[in-house]
Amino acid sequence: MLDGARRRLRRLRGRLAALERRRSRDARHWLAETSNLTHASVLLFVPLLIGFVTLLSNELQVVSFLLFPPLASGTYTLFADPEGTYSDPWKFVGGMSLGAFCGWMAIECTALLTAPAVTGTATTSGGFWEVHAWAAALAILLAGVLTWVLDLEIPSAFSTALLVLLTDPGTFIIVAGVAVSTSVVYVATVALSTSVVAVVFAVWRREFYEQRARYLYSTTQADDHVLVPMRGETDDATAMFGARVAAAHDAGKVVLLDVVGDDAIAAAEQRLLEEHGDVDVDDPAAVEDRDVDLPDVRERAERSAADAAAAELERRAARIETRVGVPCEVVVAVEDDITVTSLLDAARDTNCDLVVTPLERDSDGTPTRFVRDLFRSDIDAIAFDSKTERTDWKRVMVPVRAAGQLAHAMVDYGQRLAGNVGTVSVCTCIGDERSRRTAEATLADLTETSDARCETRVSRASLSEFIERNESHYDLVVFGAHDYGSRFAVSRAFDWAQEAETDVAVVHTR
């Protein structure tokens, strides 16, 4: 009874661990969408930074609350669009500080030009704070001209230029034993607070956002140990494709996997029996008369067939190492055919994190059961469809729908194959012109993390039409199998792969 409880507890722990891994993977995939990453950063950093500045204001008693609205909006602009026009730390600090300075100058100029009875630019009336119209107009004019001339134009600059008008220039604050006007203090606190935000943003953008491929897109750092099951008529081209993918990383290697089936073992067994003369293995008397140990013959036949298969794989591995320059290992299993279960066991035993297999189809054109089961497993996989017998791919087309984990993996594989001299063309198709700006931003999010020579293309045509018109200009088209997490789903990517006339790779990520 105690043993049963322990087993149930172990099963429960296993399920909880699997659930935690699944949630962690889902969270990583969610963050892989650049828009989700920036929104999460906004929700994290904007409240923390504004809270920090508020804490400083409470402690120092010099930071005006009038600073917070433009600071909050400016901080949001930085983190929401890290590559945007207004997301430059120097422009952020300089623009807001210059805006506050222009507001202060407007206060001083208005005080000099207005009637002597007026001591400032603002008065109270009926419980409301009234700002002189000329001061507001002059503040905006100065801010517009100076930020334009100095290339520091940001929306928040106009906010600080106006908000400083609400300070009372006739009120002074003692700072380090010196009486300083509240307007001057406001300008100084704008410069100080924006500097704090800019430093945090610059560190975040340099160390995380621009390096997000290292932390979020697992294929950019992993998937350098590639397992290739030698199946079908295009296994040599598939092995070369896997080698090109692995060779992009210094720690890359390729493992060729083959199986020795019953036919090969039977042929080897027959050769061994011929050494004893013609022996009918189904005739016990003949076997006994020739003194043949059938179990020993069977074992020797398995070893002989495995050695022959290994020797053939070694010759293929030597060609790959010579042409690609990546270490190549061989594995031979004794079973009738490669199953996904045995493939995953071999991947774990050889420390492989990516499987590259030939794209096999049934008679009706759909992927075979082996490919479908592989794409539902928990390992990254590529189904390669060799149509041109090419062994080098320098012009790669990558059609995408969104800037998520799968799309980044597709671009990464295209980058590995194209190398430094090739070109990766990241494409998407839209239904109307209103979607063009969003599509271009999506493609920019994908390509800015790549070191390859990338181009982006947005087309109004359907994807099938776009590929038909342009595939002749490319060596390879990389599709993503988006919906193979469902048991009953059939990915459209395999249909596009069948229609294409150039080489095709269909990518699945866990």
Side-chain angles (χ1 to χ4, degrees):
M1 189 172 180
L2 183 60
D3 291 339
R6 288 176 176 173
R7 285 195 297 270
R8 286 193 295 272
L9 182 60
R10 283 196 297 269
R11 285 197 297 269
L12 178 60
R13 288 176 177 172
R15 291 174 182 173
L16 292 176
L19 179 62
E20 184 65 25
R21 288 193 299 270
R22 185 160 55 249
R23 288 182 174 177
S24 176
R25 180 188 61 192
D26 293 342
R28 191 181 74 245
H29 287 185
W30 185 82
L31 284 174
E33 292 275 358
T34 303
S35 60
N36 293 335
L37 175 63
T38 55
H39 278 93
S41 299
V42 166
L43 294 177
L44 175 64
F45 287 100
V46 174
L48 288 178
L49 288 171
I50 297 302
F52 177 72
V53 173
T54 304
L55 179 63
L56 285 180
S57 70
N58 293 335
E59 292 293 328
L60 301 177
Q61 298 294 318
V62 294
V63 180
S64 172
F65 186 79
L66 297 176
L67 167 65
F68 298 150
L71 183 64
S73 64
T75 305
Y76 172 85
T77 301
L78 287 177
F79 287 95
D81 188 12
E83 302 294 338
T85 304
Y86 303 117
S87 294
D88 181 279
W90 294 109
K91 183 177 290 189
F92 173 74
V93 176
M96 290 187 63
S97 302
L98 185 60
F101 175 79
C102 291
W104 174 50
M105 292 301 297
I107 291 176
E108 297 298 326
C109 291
T110 305
L112 292 175
L113 297 176
T114 54
V118 179
T119 58
T121 61
T123 59
T124 57
S125 175
F128 296 96
W129 194 261
E130 295 182 353
V131 176
H132 287 284
W134 285 110
L138 182 58
I140 293 298
L141 176 62
L142 289 175
V145 171
L146 293 181
T147 55
W148 177 31
V149 171
L150 299 177
D151 192 24
L152 295 174
E153 288 181 291
I154 61 171
S156 299
F158 298 96
S159 298
T160 55
L162 288 177
L163 289 174
V164 72
L165 302 180
L166 298 177
T167 61
D168 185 2
T171 303
F172 294 86
I173 298 176
I174 304 302
V175 179
V178 179
V180 182
S181 169
T182 54
S183 300
V184 176
V185 171
Y186 181 84
V187 175
T189 54
V190 167
L192 175 63
S193 302
T194 53
S195 298
V196 172
V197 172
V199 168
V200 174
F201 169 74
V203 172
W204 170 83
R205 187 172 66 176
R206 184 183 68 250
E207 300 298 331
F208 180 77
Y209 183 79
E210 293 179 351
Q211 305 296 325
R212 62 190 183 278
R214 177 189 305 174
Y215 305 113
L216 299 178
Y217 315 138
S218 57
T219 60
T220 60
Q221 297 299 318
D223 290 354
D224 46 15
H225 293 178
V226 181
L227 178 65
V228 181
M230 306 300 288
R231 300 168 57 91
E233 299 178 354
T234 61
D235 53 355
D236 282 332
T238 303
M240 189 63 69
F241 179 88
R244 299 286 184 191
V245 171
H249 289 179
D250 294 337
K253 74 171 183 178
V254 180
V255 179
L256 306 182
L257 172 65
D258 200 1
V259 296
V260 176
D262 291 339
D263 292 342
I265 295 175
E269 188 175 9
Q270 184 61 41
R271 289 194 300 270
L272 291 174
L273 289 174
E274 289 175 356
E275 298 176 0
H276 297 274
D278 294 332
V279 178
D280 185 359
V281 294
D282 295 326
D283 185 356
V287 171
E288 182 178 358
D289 180 58
R290 296 282 184 147
D291 192 24
V292 177
D293 186 354
L294 287 182
D296 179 64
V297 171
R298 177 71 178 183
E299 182 179 346
R300 290 167 56 195
E302 290 181 355
R303 288 200 302 268
S304 176
D307 290 342
E312 175 61 25
L313 280 186
E314 290 287 357
R315 285 192 290 272
R316 295 184 177 188
R319 289 198 299 269
I320 291 174
E321 289 187 0
T322 301
R323 293 192 59 181
V324 183
V326 63
C328 195
E329 303 175 3
V330 301
V331 175
V332 176
V334 179
E335 56 182 285
D336 193 45
D337 192 13
I338 301 176
T339 64
V340 172
T341 300
S342 62
L343 185 69
L344 297 180
D345 290 340
R348 283 189 290 269
D349 293 340
T350 57
N351 193 31
C352 289
D353 44 19
L354 173 66
V355 173
V356 175
T357 184
L359 177 49
E360 303 169 322
R361 295 184 176 88
D362 290 327
S363 57
D364 60 356
T366 60
T368 60
R369 174 69 178 274
F370 176 84
V371 175
R372 296 197 305 270
D373 289 346
L374 177 61
F375 272 50
R376 296 186 185 116
S377 67
D378 59 352
I379 192 171
D380 291 348
I382 300 176
F384 177 65
D385 191 4
S386 176
K387 300 180 179 181
T388 64
E389 298 183 358
R390 186 185 301 275
T391 58
D392 196 9
W393 301 266
K394 294 302 181 184
R395 297 170 299 171
V396 183
M397 177 198 294
V398 184
V400 299
R401 296 193 301 188
Q405 166 75 12
L406 179 59
H408 281 282
M410 294 159 61
V411 174
D412 176 54
Y413 293 136
Q415 172 186 338
R416 297 193 198 189
L417 294 165
N420 295 326
V421 298
T423 302
V424 180
S425 180
V426 187
C427 317
T428 193
C429 295
I430 57 176
D432 55 71
E433 284 298 319
R434 290 176 298 179
S435 304
R436 182 172 295 275
R437 288 183 180 272
T438 302
E440 290 174 346
T442 297
L443 297 184
D445 289 337
L446 284 170
T447 56
E448 67 187 13
T449 61
S450 175
D451 296 328
R453 292 164 49 184
C454 290
E455 64 177 9
T456 60
R457 302 184 63 179
V458 179
S459 174
R460 286 283 303 275
S462 68
L463 183 57
S464 297
E465 295 172 344
F466 180 78
I467 293 172
E468 183 180 358
R469 289 201 304 261
N470 295 278
E471 64 178 345
S472 60
H473 302 296
Y474 296 94
D475 304 329
L476 175 74
V477 180
V478 180
F479 294 109
H482 293 268
D483 53 3
Y484 248 82
S486 169
R487 182 184 299 272
F488 305 104
V490 177
S491 177
R492 181 74 174 94
F494 290 103
D495 296 333
W496 288 324
Q498 188 173 14
E499 296 169 1
E501 296 182 0
T502 189
D503 289 350
V504 171
V506 182
V507 175
H508 158 75
T509 57
R510 59 184 182 273

mmCIF file of all heavy atoms in Angstrom, residues 50-79:
data_model
loop_
_atom_site.group_PDB
_atom_site.id
_atom_site.type_symbol
_atom_site.label_atom_id
_atom_site.label_comp_id
_atom_site.label_asym_id
_atom_site.label_seq_id
_atom_site.Cartn_x
_atom_site.Cartn_y
_atom_site.Cartn_z
ATOM 1 N N ILE A 50 9.090 54.989 -12.506
ATOM 2 C CA ILE A 50 8.308 56.102 -11.960
ATOM 3 C C ILE A 50 8.231 55.991 -10.440
ATOM 4 O O ILE A 50 8.310 57.004 -9.721
ATOM 5 C CB ILE A 50 6.903 56.121 -12.583
ATOM 6 C CG1 ILE A 50 7.008 56.359 -14.094
ATOM 7 C CG2 ILE A 50 6.052 57.202 -11.944
ATOM 8 C CD1 ILE A 50 7.719 57.628 -14.481
ATOM 9 N N GLY A 51 8.096 54.785 -9.936
ATOM 10 C CA GLY A 51 8.096 54.603 -8.480
ATOM 11 C C GLY A 51 9.416 55.026 -7.863
ATOM 12 O O GLY A 51 9.446 55.637 -6.786
ATOM 13 N N PHE A 52 10.525 54.718 -8.547
ATOM 14 C CA PHE A 52 11.843 55.098 -8.038
ATOM 15 C C PHE A 52 11.996 56.614 -8.008
ATOM 16 O O PHE A 52 12.489 57.187 -7.029
ATOM 17 C CB PHE A 52 12.929 54.464 -8.899
ATOM 18 C CG PHE A 52 14.321 54.851 -8.497
ATOM 19 C CD1 PHE A 52 14.882 54.358 -7.324
ATOM 20 C CD2 PHE A 52 15.072 55.708 -9.287
ATOM 21 C CE1 PHE A 52 16.173 54.717 -6.951
ATOM 22 C CE2 PHE A 52 16.357 56.067 -8.929
ATOM 23 C CZ PHE A 52 16.904 55.568 -7.747
ATOM 24 N N VAL A 53 11.564 57.290 -9.080
ATOM 25 C CA VAL A 53 11.648 58.746 -9.117
ATOM 26 C C VAL A 53 10.751 59.360 -8.048
ATOM 27 O O VAL A 53 11.112 60.368 -7.402
ATOM 28 C CB VAL A 53 11.273 59.270 -10.515
ATOM 29 C CG1 VAL A 53 11.200 60.791 -10.521
ATOM 30 C CG2 VAL A 53 12.287 58.791 -11.549
ATOM 31 N N THR A 54 9.571 58.769 -7.833
ATOM 32 C CA THR A 54 8.685 59.252 -6.771
ATOM 33 C C THR A 54 9.336 59.109 -5.404
ATOM 34 O O THR A 54 9.231 60.012 -4.547
ATOM 35 C CB THR A 54 7.355 58.488 -6.806
ATOM 36 O OG1 THR A 54 6.773 58.614 -8.101
ATOM 37 C CG2 THR A 54 6.393 59.036 -5.769
ATOM 38 N N LEU A 55 10.012 57.989 -5.194
ATOM 39 C CA LEU A 55 10.726 57.792 -3.933
ATOM 40 C C LEU A 55 11.794 58.860 -3.746
ATOM 41 O O LEU A 55 11.953 59.414 -2.638
ATOM 42 C CB LEU A 55 11.361 56.398 -3.915
ATOM 43 C CG LEU A 55 12.181 56.032 -2.671
ATOM 44 C CD1 LEU A 55 11.294 56.012 -1.431
ATOM 45 C CD2 LEU A 55 12.858 54.681 -2.852
ATOM 46 N N LEU A 56 12.513 59.186 -4.815
ATOM 47 C CA LEU A 56 13.511 60.246 -4.720
ATOM 48 C C LEU A 56 12.863 61.589 -4.388
ATOM 49 O O LEU A 56 13.393 62.359 -3.585
ATOM 50 C CB LEU A 56 14.277 60.355 -6.049
ATOM 51 C CG LEU A 56 15.311 59.282 -6.356
ATOM 52 C CD1 LEU A 56 15.965 59.559 -7.706
ATOM 53 C CD2 LEU A 56 16.380 59.210 -5.266
ATOM 54 N N SER A 57 11.713 61.863 -5.012
ATOM 55 C CA SER A 57 11.056 63.136 -4.758
ATOM 56 C C SER A 57 10.608 63.246 -3.307
ATOM 57 O O SER A 57 10.670 64.321 -2.700
ATOM 58 C CB SER A 57 9.854 63.302 -5.695
ATOM 59 O OG SER A 57 8.815 62.403 -5.344
ATOM 60 N N ASN A 58 10.154 62.116 -2.758
ATOM 61 C CA ASN A 58 9.724 62.141 -1.356
ATOM 62 C C ASN A 58 10.904 62.324 -0.412
ATOM 63 O O ASN A 58 10.787 62.965 0.639
ATOM 64 C CB ASN A 58 8.981 60.856 -1.015
ATOM 65 C CG ASN A 58 7.656 60.751 -1.753
ATOM 66 O OD1 ASN A 58 7.067 61.756 -2.138
ATOM 67 N ND2 ASN A 58 7.197 59.531 -1.962
ATOM 68 N N GLU A 59 12.042 61.750 -0.791
ATOM 69 C CA GLU A 59 13.210 61.839 0.070
ATOM 70 C C GLU A 59 13.896 63.203 -0.036
ATOM 71 O O GLU A 59 14.315 63.782 0.969
ATOM 72 C CB GLU A 59 14.209 60.728 -0.277
ATOM 73 C CG GLU A 59 13.724 59.328 0.058
ATOM 74 C CD GLU A 59 13.582 59.105 1.551
ATOM 75 O OE1 GLU A 59 14.363 59.707 2.316
ATOM 76 O OE2 GLU A 59 12.681 58.345 1.962
ATOM 77 N N LEU A 60 14.019 63.708 -1.257
ATOM 78 C CA LEU A 60 14.773 64.945 -1.471
ATOM 79 C C LEU A 60 13.927 66.200 -1.334
ATOM 80 O O LEU A 60 14.454 67.289 -1.120
ATOM 81 C CB LEU A 60 15.427 64.922 -2.865
ATOM 82 C CG LEU A 60 16.391 63.755 -3.130
ATOM 83 C CD1 LEU A 60 16.911 63.824 -4.558
ATOM 84 C CD2 LEU A 60 17.543 63.761 -2.134
ATOM 85 N N GLN A 61 12.616 66.052 -1.513
ATOM 86 C CA GLN A 61 11.697 67.182 -1.403
ATOM 87 C C GLN A 61 12.009 68.297 -2.397
ATOM 88 O O GLN A 61 11.771 69.472 -2.135
ATOM 89 C CB GLN A 61 11.733 67.750 0.033
ATOM 90 C CG GLN A 61 11.286 66.777 1.105
ATOM 91 C CD GLN A 61 9.810 66.415 0.978
ATOM 92 O OE1 GLN A 61 8.982 67.283 0.720
ATOM 93 N NE2 GLN A 61 9.495 65.153 1.163
ATOM 94 N N VAL A 62 12.576 67.920 -3.555
ATOM 95 C CA VAL A 62 12.870 68.932 -4.569
ATOM 96 C C VAL A 62 12.267 68.572 -5.929
ATOM 97 O O VAL A 62 12.202 69.421 -6.816
ATOM 98 C CB VAL A 62 14.395 69.141 -4.731
ATOM 99 C CG1 VAL A 62 14.978 69.725 -3.464
ATOM 100 C CG2 VAL A 62 15.092 67.862 -5.133
ATOM 101 N N VAL A 63 11.860 67.346 -6.112
ATOM 102 C CA VAL A 63 11.323 66.913 -7.402
ATOM 103 C C VAL A 63 9.841 67.239 -7.452
ATOM 104 O O VAL A 63 9.059 66.763 -6.639
ATOM 105 C CB VAL A 63 11.550 65.402 -7.617
ATOM 106 C CG1 VAL A 63 10.979 64.971 -8.968
ATOM 107 C CG2 VAL A 63 13.035 65.084 -7.547
ATOM 108 N N SER A 64 9.452 68.050 -8.401
ATOM 109 C CA SER A 64 8.060 68.445 -8.536
ATOM 110 C C SER A 64 7.245 67.322 -9.160
ATOM 111 O O SER A 64 7.712 66.613 -10.056
ATOM 112 C CB SER A 64 7.955 69.708 -9.398
ATOM 113 O OG SER A 64 6.599 69.983 -9.686
ATOM 114 N N PHE A 65 5.990 67.190 -8.685
ATOM 115 C CA PHE A 65 5.107 66.195 -9.261
ATOM 116 C C PHE A 65 4.785 66.523 -10.719
ATOM 117 O O PHE A 65 4.376 65.644 -11.480
ATOM 118 C CB PHE A 65 3.813 66.109 -8.442
ATOM 119 C CG PHE A 65 2.908 65.003 -8.890
ATOM 120 C CD1 PHE A 65 3.163 63.685 -8.509
ATOM 121 C CD2 PHE A 65 1.820 65.257 -9.707
ATOM 122 C CE1 PHE A 65 2.345 62.653 -8.935
ATOM 123 C CE2 PHE A 65 0.988 64.236 -10.127
ATOM 124 C CZ PHE A 65 1.251 62.921 -9.735
ATOM 125 N N LEU A 66 4.987 67.780 -11.117
ATOM 126 C CA LEU A 66 4.744 68.157 -12.507
ATOM 127 C C LEU A 66 5.683 67.435 -13.470
ATOM 128 O O LEU A 66 5.442 67.412 -14.683
ATOM 129 C CB LEU A 66 4.924 69.671 -12.667
ATOM 130 C CG LEU A 66 3.946 70.563 -11.886
ATOM 131 C CD1 LEU A 66 4.328 72.015 -12.066
ATOM 132 C CD2 LEU A 66 2.515 70.308 -12.346
ATOM 133 N N LEU A 67 6.751 66.846 -12.941
ATOM 134 C CA LEU A 67 7.680 66.113 -13.799
ATOM 135 C C LEU A 67 7.107 64.767 -14.234
ATOM 136 O O LEU A 67 7.421 64.270 -15.311
ATOM 137 C CB LEU A 67 9.003 65.907 -13.046
ATOM 138 C CG LEU A 67 10.000 64.895 -13.632
ATOM 139 C CD1 LEU A 67 10.497 65.372 -14.986
ATOM 140 C CD2 LEU A 67 11.172 64.695 -12.672
ATOM 141 N N PHE A 68 6.258 64.146 -13.415
ATOM 142 C CA PHE A 68 5.875 62.753 -13.630
ATOM 143 C C PHE A 68 5.094 62.492 -14.907
ATOM 144 O O PHE A 68 5.349 61.482 -15.588
ATOM 145 C CB PHE A 68 5.101 62.230 -12.415
ATOM 146 C CG PHE A 68 5.906 62.245 -11.147
ATOM 147 C CD1 PHE A 68 5.301 62.414 -9.912
ATOM 148 C CD2 PHE A 68 7.280 62.087 -11.185
ATOM 149 C CE1 PHE A 68 6.035 62.429 -8.755
ATOM 150 C CE2 PHE A 68 8.032 62.095 -10.024
ATOM 151 C CZ PHE A 68 7.414 62.270 -8.798
ATOM 152 N N PRO A 69 4.113 63.310 -15.297
ATOM 153 C CA PRO A 69 3.378 62.995 -16.542
ATOM 154 C C PRO A 69 4.266 62.887 -17.783
ATOM 155 O O PRO A 69 4.207 61.879 -18.491
ATOM 156 C CB PRO A 69 2.362 64.140 -16.634
ATOM 157 C CG PRO A 69 2.157 64.573 -15.218
ATOM 158 C CD PRO A 69 3.488 64.434 -14.580
ATOM 159 N N PRO A 70 5.115 63.890 -18.081
ATOM 160 C CA PRO A 70 5.970 63.717 -19.270
ATOM 161 C C PRO A 70 7.006 62.621 -19.099
ATOM 162 O O PRO A 70 7.376 61.952 -20.071
ATOM 163 C CB PRO A 70 6.644 65.087 -19.428
ATOM 164 C CG PRO A 70 6.579 65.715 -18.083
ATOM 165 C CD PRO A 70 5.303 65.226 -17.468
ATOM 166 N N LEU A 71 7.474 62.405 -17.871
ATOM 167 C CA LEU A 71 8.460 61.351 -17.641
ATOM 168 C C LEU A 71 7.838 59.978 -17.893
ATOM 169 O O LEU A 71 8.465 59.099 -18.500
ATOM 170 C CB LEU A 71 8.999 61.438 -16.220
ATOM 171 C CG LEU A 71 10.111 60.434 -15.868
ATOM 172 C CD1 LEU A 71 11.349 60.706 -16.702
ATOM 173 C CD2 LEU A 71 10.441 60.496 -14.378
ATOM 174 N N ALA A 72 6.601 59.787 -17.435
ATOM 175 C CA ALA A 72 5.927 58.500 -17.639
ATOM 176 C C ALA A 72 5.677 58.248 -19.121
ATOM 177 O O ALA A 72 5.935 57.144 -19.635
ATOM 178 C CB ALA A 72 4.610 58.470 -16.858
ATOM 179 N N SER A 73 5.182 59.267 -19.841
ATOM 180 C CA SER A 73 4.916 59.073 -21.265
ATOM 181 C C SER A 73 6.205 58.873 -22.049
ATOM 182 O O SER A 73 6.271 58.057 -22.974
ATOM 183 C CB SER A 73 4.136 60.263 -21.825
ATOM 184 O OG SER A 73 4.907 61.452 -21.739
ATOM 185 N N GLY A 74 7.252 59.604 -21.681
ATOM 186 C CA GLY A 74 8.527 59.427 -22.368
ATOM 187 C C GLY A 74 9.140 58.060 -22.105
ATOM 188 O O GLY A 74 9.706 57.438 -23.015
ATOM 189 N N THR A 75 9.029 57.578 -20.863
ATOM 190 C CA THR A 75 9.539 56.249 -20.537
ATOM 191 C C THR A 75 8.784 55.177 -21.303
ATOM 192 O O THR A 75 9.366 54.209 -21.812
ATOM 193 C CB THR A 75 9.435 56.000 -19.026
ATOM 194 O OG1 THR A 75 10.097 57.049 -18.321
ATOM 195 C CG2 THR A 75 10.060 54.672 -18.646
ATOM 196 N N TYR A 76 7.476 55.344 -21.420
ATOM 197 C CA TYR A 76 6.680 54.399 -22.204
ATOM 198 C C TYR A 76 7.147 54.383 -23.663
ATOM 199 O O TYR A 76 7.288 53.310 -24.270
ATOM 200 C CB TYR A 76 5.201 54.781 -22.134
ATOM 201 C CG TYR A 76 4.335 53.965 -23.072
ATOM 202 C CD1 TYR A 76 3.841 52.726 -22.676
ATOM 203 C CD2 TYR A 76 4.044 54.428 -24.357
ATOM 204 C CE1 TYR A 76 3.062 51.963 -23.543
ATOM 205 C CE2 TYR A 76 3.274 53.670 -25.224
ATOM 206 C CZ TYR A 76 2.784 52.448 -24.811
ATOM 207 O OH TYR A 76 2.029 51.697 -25.672
ATOM 208 N N THR A 77 7.409 55.560 -24.226
ATOM 209 C CA THR A 77 7.865 55.632 -25.614
ATOM 210 C C THR A 77 9.176 54.892 -25.806
ATOM 211 O O THR A 77 9.376 54.195 -26.804
ATOM 212 C CB THR A 77 8.034 57.102 -26.032
ATOM 213 O OG1 THR A 77 6.785 57.789 -25.900
ATOM 214 C CG2 THR A 77 8.509 57.209 -27.466
ATOM 215 N N LEU A 78 10.085 55.005 -24.850
ATOM 216 C CA LEU A 78 11.370 54.314 -24.954
ATOM 217 C C LEU A 78 11.192 52.809 -25.024
ATOM 218 O O LEU A 78 11.703 52.146 -25.932
ATOM 219 C CB LEU A 78 12.255 54.676 -23.755
ATOM 220 C CG LEU A 78 12.880 56.069 -23.700
ATOM 221 C CD1 LEU A 78 13.655 56.231 -22.411
ATOM 222 C CD2 LEU A 78 13.793 56.294 -24.890
ATOM 223 N N PHE A 79 10.486 52.243 -24.048
ATOM 224 C CA PHE A 79 10.406 50.787 -23.943
ATOM 225 C C PHE A 79 9.398 50.174 -24.906
ATOM 226 O O PHE A 79 9.538 49.008 -25.281
ATOM 227 C CB PHE A 79 10.061 50.390 -22.500
ATOM 228 C CG PHE A 79 11.197 50.563 -21.542
ATOM 229 C CD1 PHE A 79 11.327 51.722 -20.800
ATOM 230 C CD2 PHE A 79 12.158 49.582 -21.387
ATOM 231 C CE1 PHE A 79 12.384 51.903 -19.909
ATOM 232 C CE2 PHE A 79 13.218 49.739 -20.513
ATOM 233 C CZ PHE A 79 13.328 50.903 -19.767
#
